[in-house]
Amino acid sequence: MAQRNLSELVAGAVVLVVAAGFLGYAVANTGRATVSGYTLHASFDHIDGVSVGSDVRLAGVKVGSVTATRVDPQTFQAMVTFTVMSSLKLSTDSSAEITSDSMLGGKSLSLVPGGDEKILADGGEVTITQGAVSLEQLLGKFIFNVGDLSSNVQKMLRE
């Protein structure tokens, strides 16, 4: 009986060690590696879902990472600091927007290059921005508008 308990204990320990190894591998290879390059800043009304380590994408390709987020105490806007590959030279009229990676969540910062000849320098600021769109707010507006439409139709039918 003691031999059986010992073998079950050893088998359980092996399973836990293997599970911990898989967990460590998954955490180390989640694709959240930072991309070295130059630093840029942008301010947004809302950055829901974007945090340190989120991807910075251009044309759907990861070109950087978000390195810091904070709230500006004077404007109450979200300030995002991020890196972009050194090989990409973004013009001063480039824009940044918060986009969804999927319907289930996951947000990233997407860059859209501009056409100006002046290039953003290290530490520069992207001034054309669009914050995150909240799915909950959109659904709320839709439901409210459908309710108004229904009320108006009923009112018209009574007249």
PDB file of all heavy atoms in Angstrom, residues 69-83:
ATOM      1  N   THR A  69       2.206  53.903 -20.082  1.00  0.00           N
ATOM      2  CA  THR A  69       0.924  54.605 -20.179  1.00  0.00           C
ATOM      3  C   THR A  69       0.739  55.411 -18.910  1.00  0.00           C
ATOM      4  O   THR A  69       1.170  54.997 -17.831  1.00  0.00           O
ATOM      5  CB  THR A  69      -0.267  53.634 -20.341  1.00  0.00           C
ATOM      6  OG1 THR A  69      -0.306  52.757 -19.220  1.00  0.00           O
ATOM      7  CG2 THR A  69      -0.165  52.830 -21.623  1.00  0.00           C
ATOM      8  N   ARG A  70       0.121  56.577 -19.048  1.00  0.00           N
ATOM      9  CA  ARG A  70      -0.160  57.411 -17.883  1.00  0.00           C
ATOM     10  C   ARG A  70      -1.267  58.392 -18.244  1.00  0.00           C
ATOM     11  O   ARG A  70      -1.615  58.536 -19.417  1.00  0.00           O
ATOM     12  CB  ARG A  70       1.087  58.148 -17.406  1.00  0.00           C
ATOM     13  CG  ARG A  70       1.591  59.204 -18.379  1.00  0.00           C
ATOM     14  CD  ARG A  70       2.815  59.942 -17.837  1.00  0.00           C
ATOM     15  NE  ARG A  70       3.269  60.966 -18.751  1.00  0.00           N
ATOM     16  CZ  ARG A  70       2.805  62.211 -18.803  1.00  0.00           C
ATOM     17  NH1 ARG A  70       1.871  62.599 -17.978  1.00  0.00           N
ATOM     18  NH2 ARG A  70       3.271  63.079 -19.685  1.00  0.00           N
ATOM     19  N   VAL A  71      -1.806  59.061 -17.257  1.00  0.00           N
ATOM     20  CA  VAL A  71      -2.818  60.091 -17.478  1.00  0.00           C
ATOM     21  C   VAL A  71      -2.169  61.451 -17.272  1.00  0.00           C
ATOM     22  O   VAL A  71      -1.502  61.685 -16.257  1.00  0.00           O
ATOM     23  CB  VAL A  71      -4.013  59.917 -16.513  1.00  0.00           C
ATOM     24  CG1 VAL A  71      -4.988  61.077 -16.639  1.00  0.00           C
ATOM     25  CG2 VAL A  71      -4.712  58.600 -16.769  1.00  0.00           C
ATOM     26  N   ASP A  72      -2.354  62.347 -18.225  1.00  0.00           N
ATOM     27  CA  ASP A  72      -1.857  63.717 -18.099  1.00  0.00           C
ATOM     28  C   ASP A  72      -2.778  64.442 -17.115  1.00  0.00           C
ATOM     29  O   ASP A  72      -3.975  64.581 -17.379  1.00  0.00           O
ATOM     30  CB  ASP A  72      -1.872  64.411 -19.464  1.00  0.00           C
ATOM     31  CG  ASP A  72      -1.276  65.802 -19.421  1.00  0.00           C
ATOM     32  OD1 ASP A  72      -1.312  66.445 -18.348  1.00  0.00           O
ATOM     33  OD2 ASP A  72      -0.786  66.257 -20.473  1.00  0.00           O
ATOM     34  N   PRO A  73      -2.259  64.919 -15.987  1.00  0.00           N
ATOM     35  CA  PRO A  73      -3.120  65.539 -14.974  1.00  0.00           C
ATOM     36  C   PRO A  73      -3.732  66.867 -15.410  1.00  0.00           C
ATOM     37  O   PRO A  73      -4.698  67.322 -14.806  1.00  0.00           O
ATOM     38  CB  PRO A  73      -2.187  65.726 -13.768  1.00  0.00           C
ATOM     39  CG  PRO A  73      -0.810  65.659 -14.309  1.00  0.00           C
ATOM     40  CD  PRO A  73      -0.863  64.845 -15.563  1.00  0.00           C
ATOM     41  N   GLN A  74      -3.213  67.478 -16.464  1.00  0.00           N
ATOM     42  CA  GLN A  74      -3.764  68.749 -16.919  1.00  0.00           C
ATOM     43  C   GLN A  74      -4.858  68.566 -17.966  1.00  0.00           C
ATOM     44  O   GLN A  74      -5.870  69.248 -17.934  1.00  0.00           O
ATOM     45  CB  GLN A  74      -2.645  69.638 -17.463  1.00  0.00           C
ATOM     46  CG  GLN A  74      -1.668  70.041 -16.379  1.00  0.00           C
ATOM     47  CD  GLN A  74      -0.458  70.777 -16.923  1.00  0.00           C
ATOM     48  OE1 GLN A  74      -0.153  70.686 -18.107  1.00  0.00           O
ATOM     49  NE2 GLN A  74       0.228  71.497 -16.058  1.00  0.00           N
ATOM     50  N   THR A  75      -4.667  67.635 -18.894  1.00  0.00           N
ATOM     51  CA  THR A  75      -5.647  67.441 -19.970  1.00  0.00           C
ATOM     52  C   THR A  75      -6.556  66.248 -19.718  1.00  0.00           C
ATOM     53  O   THR A  75      -7.560  66.078 -20.404  1.00  0.00           O
ATOM     54  CB  THR A  75      -4.938  67.225 -21.316  1.00  0.00           C
ATOM     55  OG1 THR A  75      -4.173  66.022 -21.254  1.00  0.00           O
ATOM     56  CG2 THR A  75      -4.053  68.399 -21.666  1.00  0.00           C
ATOM     57  N   PHE A  76      -6.197  65.394 -18.761  1.00  0.00           N
ATOM     58  CA  PHE A  76      -6.924  64.168 -18.442  1.00  0.00           C
ATOM     59  C   PHE A  76      -6.984  63.209 -19.629  1.00  0.00           C
ATOM     60  O   PHE A  76      -7.899  62.410 -19.747  1.00  0.00           O
ATOM     61  CB  PHE A  76      -8.335  64.464 -17.923  1.00  0.00           C
ATOM     62  CG  PHE A  76      -8.316  65.304 -16.679  1.00  0.00           C
ATOM     63  CD1 PHE A  76      -8.705  66.629 -16.729  1.00  0.00           C
ATOM     64  CD2 PHE A  76      -7.897  64.776 -15.469  1.00  0.00           C
ATOM     65  CE1 PHE A  76      -8.676  67.417 -15.595  1.00  0.00           C
ATOM     66  CE2 PHE A  76      -7.874  65.554 -14.321  1.00  0.00           C
ATOM     67  CZ  PHE A  76      -8.264  66.878 -14.391  1.00  0.00           C
ATOM     68  N   GLN A  77      -5.998  63.287 -20.492  1.00  0.00           N
ATOM     69  CA  GLN A  77      -5.902  62.352 -21.605  1.00  0.00           C
ATOM     70  C   GLN A  77      -4.893  61.266 -21.259  1.00  0.00           C
ATOM     71  O   GLN A  77      -3.999  61.464 -20.445  1.00  0.00           O
ATOM     72  CB  GLN A  77      -5.473  63.068 -22.886  1.00  0.00           C
ATOM     73  CG  GLN A  77      -6.560  63.942 -23.468  1.00  0.00           C
ATOM     74  CD  GLN A  77      -6.229  64.314 -24.893  1.00  0.00           C
ATOM     75  OE1 GLN A  77      -5.105  64.677 -25.207  1.00  0.00           O
ATOM     76  NE2 GLN A  77      -7.226  64.233 -25.760  1.00  0.00           N
ATOM     77  N   ALA A  78      -5.064  60.125 -21.909  1.00  0.00           N
ATOM     78  CA  ALA A  78      -4.126  59.015 -21.718  1.00  0.00           C
ATOM     79  C   ALA A  78      -2.900  59.270 -22.590  1.00  0.00           C
ATOM     80  O   ALA A  78      -3.026  59.473 -23.792  1.00  0.00           O
ATOM     81  CB  ALA A  78      -4.785  57.697 -22.102  1.00  0.00           C
ATOM     82  N   MET A  79      -1.745  59.261 -21.982  1.00  0.00           N
ATOM     83  CA  MET A  79      -0.486  59.458 -22.693  1.00  0.00           C
ATOM     84  C   MET A  79       0.163  58.089 -22.875  1.00  0.00           C
ATOM     85  O   MET A  79       0.347  57.356 -21.911  1.00  0.00           O
ATOM     86  CB  MET A  79       0.452  60.376 -21.906  1.00  0.00           C
ATOM     87  CG  MET A  79      -0.153  61.730 -21.562  1.00  0.00           C
ATOM     88  SD  MET A  79      -0.564  62.714 -23.004  1.00  0.00           S
ATOM     89  CE  MET A  79       1.042  63.025 -23.653  1.00  0.00           C
ATOM     90  N   VAL A  80       0.495  57.760 -24.110  1.00  0.00           N
ATOM     91  CA  VAL A  80       1.093  56.462 -24.422  1.00  0.00           C
ATOM     92  C   VAL A  80       2.494  56.691 -24.966  1.00  0.00           C
ATOM     93  O   VAL A  80       2.685  57.516 -25.862  1.00  0.00           O
ATOM     94  CB  VAL A  80       0.238  55.697 -25.456  1.00  0.00           C
ATOM     95  CG1 VAL A  80       0.884  54.374 -25.816  1.00  0.00           C
ATOM     96  CG2 VAL A  80      -1.168  55.474 -24.928  1.00  0.00           C
ATOM     97  N   THR A  81       3.457  55.966 -24.427  1.00  0.00           N
ATOM     98  CA  THR A  81       4.824  55.986 -24.928  1.00  0.00           C
ATOM     99  C   THR A  81       5.076  54.623 -25.559  1.00  0.00           C
ATOM    100  O   THR A  81       4.730  53.598 -24.971  1.00  0.00           O
ATOM    101  CB  THR A  81       5.824  56.236 -23.783  1.00  0.00           C
ATOM    102  OG1 THR A  81       5.493  57.479 -23.157  1.00  0.00           O
ATOM    103  CG2 THR A  81       7.253  56.299 -24.299  1.00  0.00           C
ATOM    104  N   PHE A  82       5.658  54.625 -26.751  1.00  0.00           N
ATOM    105  CA  PHE A  82       5.870  53.365 -27.467  1.00  0.00           C
ATOM    106  C   PHE A  82       7.135  53.431 -28.301  1.00  0.00           C
ATOM    107  O   PHE A  82       7.650  54.512 -28.569  1.00  0.00           O
ATOM    108  CB  PHE A  82       4.659  53.018 -28.348  1.00  0.00           C
ATOM    109  CG  PHE A  82       4.278  54.085 -29.338  1.00  0.00           C
ATOM    110  CD1 PHE A  82       4.716  54.018 -30.653  1.00  0.00           C
ATOM    111  CD2 PHE A  82       3.480  55.151 -28.971  1.00  0.00           C
ATOM    112  CE1 PHE A  82       4.358  54.986 -31.575  1.00  0.00           C
ATOM    113  CE2 PHE A  82       3.109  56.128 -29.888  1.00  0.00           C
ATOM    114  CZ  PHE A  82       3.551  56.045 -31.193  1.00  0.00           C
ATOM    115  N   THR A  83       7.632  52.261 -28.669  1.00  0.00           N
ATOM    116  CA  THR A  83       8.808  52.178 -29.527  1.00  0.00           C
ATOM    117  C   THR A  83       8.383  51.756 -30.928  1.00  0.00           C
ATOM    118  O   THR A  83       7.379  51.073 -31.108  1.00  0.00           O
ATOM    119  CB  THR A  83       9.830  51.160 -29.000  1.00  0.00           C
ATOM    120  OG1 THR A  83       9.210  49.880 -28.926  1.00  0.00           O
ATOM    121  CG2 THR A  83      10.358  51.553 -27.640  1.00  0.00           C
TER     122      THR A  83
END
